[in-house]
Amino acid sequence: TSTARAELASQARASDAGAPVKLAGRLLVRTVDPGNPRLNGRLVEAAFGASKAVVDGGRLACQRVYVAAGAGLCLAVAPSGVEYRARIFDRHHRVRHELTLSGLPSRARVSPGGRWGALTTFSSGDSYTTPGQFSTRTWILDMLSGRRVADLERFEVLKGDKRLDVPDFNFWGVTFAGDEDTFYATLATGGRRYLVKGSLAQRRVQLMRENVECPSLSPDGRRLAYKKRVGGVQDWRLHVLDLGTGRDVALAEQRSIDDQAEWLNDETVVYGDGRSVWAVRADGAGRPQRLLARADSPAAVRG
């Protein structure tokens, strides 16, 4: 693991020099090393900013990871290789709770205050690329007790003032607001995908906008980074939506990215392409910059 950490540290230091994006903050990522199961998925933390990058490692191995306010959520493959686990861990990467998952891990998020977690698994299928051929389950977790407290499929769904009651709801890609109640997510129904805004306390979501997948709320709570379908089944473009004005900006990354993007800071969006972690300006200007090779599932470390 020391070799992997040294390699990532070298990359992070090189990325700091003359960067076209604002590099300020810390990221937790999982290493990508398919040739070495012992190293694949291990957690590594990289710091960016005025000082040189410092990289630390953790003992957990994850398929998806997220952290907030010292609370972490790791979706992992069990030692059997055919079972999956959700592990809630603290700022020292010590596991506090563990849950069995019924499907392939897909997305993970933690609320800014560390109170709630959200996880998405595939009940059937293994990707979002084939409409009608996959099914997801999205749960809200109590990060303190480790219990599942809500299934989004049981929430009331409103389109305007009308309640929708159809059998094909699929939710994924939760992102939480700072009030520890409001959240945004993707809802697929009738062959279409919608941005929804929800309330945990009211157990209700409201349809907001079509063709928004895997939203990610900015630290200031004003904008959502998301992936927008722009062509075929596997053709997405990263965008940023201003929730106040409705202004929608395509980001400079022109490749199709199948990820729930993250915010390094209020000016910089980061994301994984399955092999490396990249950064791009949130205003649509500039160019993408690779931050870390052999890394994925970036999560900003705050608090």
Side-chain angles (χ1 to χ4, degrees):
T1 57
S2 60
T3 301
R5 294 174 194 173
E7 179 180 346
L8 289 172
S10 176
Q11 296 165 17
R13 285 193 293 270
S15 296
D16 249 357
V21 293
K22 181 181 179 181
L23 295 182
R26 292 183 292 157
L27 284 178
L28 185 69
V29 301
R30 62 179 295 271
T31 59
V32 177
D33 191 350
N36 190 336
R38 187 174 63 87
L39 298 181
N40 197 38
R42 295 293 176 180
L43 301 188
V44 174
E45 185 174 313
F48 301 89
S51 61
K52 289 185 178 181
V54 177
V55 176
D56 297 313
R59 297 180 179 180
L60 288 174
C62 310
Q63 298 296 108
R64 298 292 299 186
V65 66
Y66 202 80
V67 291
L73 180 58
C74 167
L75 307 188
V77 180
S80 67
V82 295
E83 297 177 308
Y84 306 101
R85 301 281 189 268
R87 297 186 174 106
I88 295 172
F89 61 93
D90 64 16
R91 66 178 68 250
H92 303 292
H93 295 180
R94 295 177 298 206
V95 176
R96 296 305 190 188
H97 304 285
E98 183 168 317
L99 301 85
T100 299
L101 301 178
S102 58
L104 185 70
S106 174
R107 304 296 183 210
R109 274 299 192 267
V110 178
S111 62
R115 183 69 176 86
W116 308 110
L119 65 86
T120 299
T121 62
F122 287 106
S123 299
S124 64
D126 60 3
S127 76
Y128 301 101
T129 61
T130 309
Q133 300 301 312
F134 71 88
S135 177
T136 60
R137 294 296 298 273
T138 295
W139 295 91
I140 304 298
L141 307 179
D142 182 327
M143 296 290 284
L144 299 179
S145 69
R147 295 184 300 107
R148 294 181 175 92
V149 295
D151 177 353
L152 289 196
E153 289 188 19
R154 297 183 179 275
F155 279 34
E156 181 181 31
V157 178
L158 299 178
K159 184 176 183 180
D161 296 329
K162 181 182 178 181
R163 177 175 178 173
L164 297 183
D165 189 9
V166 296
D168 70 337
F169 286 155
N170 277 300
F171 290 92
W172 67 86
V174 172
T175 184
F176 294 97
D179 62 6
E180 301 291 294
D181 177 60
T182 304
F183 67 93
Y184 299 86
T186 301
L187 167 62
T189 181
R192 297 183 176 183
R193 292 162 168 80
Y194 299 92
L195 173 67
V196 297
K197 181 179 181 180
S199 165
L200 295 178
Q202 297 178 4
R203 296 294 196 268
R204 177 185 300 164
V205 301
Q206 178 78 47
L207 269 65
M208 293 183 64
R209 188 183 184 104
E210 194 172 348
N211 199 10
V212 173
E213 296 184 55
C214 294
S216 178
L217 191 63
S218 60
D220 62 14
R222 297 166 50 194
R223 291 156 296 161
L224 286 172
Y226 72 97
K227 62 178 190 177
K228 181 177 184 179
R229 198 174 293 271
V230 294
V233 171
Q234 294 179 294
D235 194 1
W236 290 283
R237 179 77 180 268
L238 290 176
H239 280 239
V240 165
L241 171 67
D242 188 305
L243 293 170
T245 66
R247 183 171 181 260
D248 189 53
V249 176
L251 300 189
E253 175 59 82
Q254 298 189 30
R255 295 176 300 160
S256 181
I257 300 295
D258 182 10
D259 191 24
Q260 184 171 12
E262 169 68 323
W263 295 76
L264 179 63
N265 50 61
D266 280 319
E267 300 174 28
T268 308
V269 174
V270 294
Y271 50 93
D273 64 5
R275 299 174 302 278
S276 301
V277 170
W278 296 74
V280 69
R281 286 173 52 168
D283 61 3
R287 58 180 176 81
Q289 179 174 341
R290 186 167 70 172
L291 296 185
L292 298 169
R294 298 173 66 185
D296 195 22
S297 193
V301 181
R302 301 183 181 95

